[in-house]
Amino acid sequence: MRAFTYIKPTSAAEAVRAIAAAGPGARFLAGGTTLYDLMKLNVEAPSSVIDLNSLTELSGFDTSGSSELVFGALARMSDVATDPRLVADYPALAESLWSAASPQLRNMASIGGNLLQRTRCAYFRGGDPFACNKRKPGSGCSARHGLNRGHALLGGSERCIAVYPGDWAVALSAFDAKVDVLGLNGQRTIAIDDLHREPGATPDIETALEFNELILRIRVPRTALGRASIYHKIRDREAFAFALASAAVALQMDRDTVRDVRIAVGGLATRPWRARAAEQTLVGRPLTAQTARAAGDAALRGAKASDENRFRIELGARTVADALMIAKQRALGR
Ligand SMILES: Cc1cc2nc3c(=O)[nH]c(=O)nc-3n(C[C@H](O)[C@H](O)[C@H](O)COP(=O)(O)OP(=O)(O)OC[C@H]3O[C@@H](n4cnc5c(N)ncnc54)[C@H](O)[C@@H]3O)c2cc1C
Ligand code: SF4
């Protein structure tokens, strides 16, 4: 057993003061499905655990607003995934949640904790004796010439090629979501695309958050693109598996022509990956199997394969193309 201090604040402000006082070795606890997992593997060893589960102010969500949808950070994945308004008006958001993990995990896990889940790289989770720059800066990267079938093709560096494994953040990226966070100096807002960092020379620094900043809520601007959206996830088995490739697509059509489109890819990059260049190939053009495939190729442009994952460049391009064609059917009401 490793001893740690357990603290259960009753307000967001108290939680932030508690973690600031405890220092950088402390961790917030929401559903615990990432944190406890990594504590059992000895990858995380917090000095203090700040349990957020009494912060009822963060557990609700509202999908009825005229300008934005608002999700408290402690809302459970299962509750958000089955919200009838979200399922009807923003299927990509609902699908990204219900295609993740298992029913038991979704009942426990929070949507704020989901954003901050950590990579599934086996060398990161395996602990010593494996070299891992993310777990132990400067020790090396065992994955570069090791088991890297599931590793990133986009956004990697010499130091780290670990995939960002989550689904929800990828769908949020397609909708330009914002994340409100609270720190000792007050509240600030981070665009979802600025929350996660590429590894560069410091793979141990994964997000733009300070250690003592608490995610309060996620906000999604209301948009006409919601209804014809999809989260398309390809994996080794149909349930309870992380993405080999995924695409969040949202579409608005004028007959057969694309008026507006959003594309983000998951399972392929070191962070949720908005594919703006791919979007540009489609705006104002007809959406056909050929233009969809060209957009898929554009989304994967610049991909760098490792020994075992080259097949996922083709898989990623096809995933984007298939998602676009399904979104088109939804846009045309078929
Ligand atoms: C077997 C398995 C399969 C899975 N499959 C998938 C999958 O297919 N797709 C997918 O997307 N996910 C998957 N997951 C990951 C799962 O969705 C996440 O573990 C979960 O969403 C994390 O939420 P949590 O509330 O349990 O977070 P916790 O474990 O409580 O916290 C996770 C991290 O976030 C921090 N944190 C939590 N809340 C806040 C907050 N409000 N502000 C600041 N920091 C905070 C914690 O300190 C911790 O570092 C899987 C997990 C497991 C164990
Ligand atoms: S890919 Fe990243 S997480 Fe995996 S071993 Fe290399 S440095 Fe560690």
Side-chain angles (χ1 to χ4, degrees), residues 119 121 123-124 131-134 140-143 151 159-162:
T119 186
C121 172
Y123 304 108
F124 171 74
C132 172
N133 288 322
K134 188 183 279 298
C141 172
S142 304
H151 283 67
R159 299 274 173 97
C160 181
I161 51 170

Side-chain angles (χ1 to χ4, degrees), residues 31-52:
T33 62
T34 285
L35 186 65
Y36 285 156
D37 192 21
L38 293 175
M39 286 168 73
K40 285 189 276 184
L41 293 170
N42 277 325
V43 172
E44 290 267 21
S47 56
S48 300
V49 169
I50 320 288
D51 185 345
L52 304 174

Side-chain angles (χ1 to χ4, degrees), residues 195-239:
L195 180 65
H196 297 92
R197 292 169 40 124
E198 288 174 29
T202 52
D204 52 313
I205 304 174
E206 295 175 354
T207 71
L209 293 178
E210 301 293 333
F211 84 92
N212 56 14
E213 281 184 311
L214 175 71
I215 297 180
L216 298 174
R217 66 187 76 81
I218 299 157
R219 292 183 288 122
V220 176
R222 192 162 275 286
T223 165
L225 286 117
R227 277 198 167 235
S229 70
I230 175 169
Y231 188 74
H232 190 43
K233 177 171 174 179
I234 306 301
R235 40 193 161 166
D236 280 325
R237 53 174 188 262
E238 267 305 300

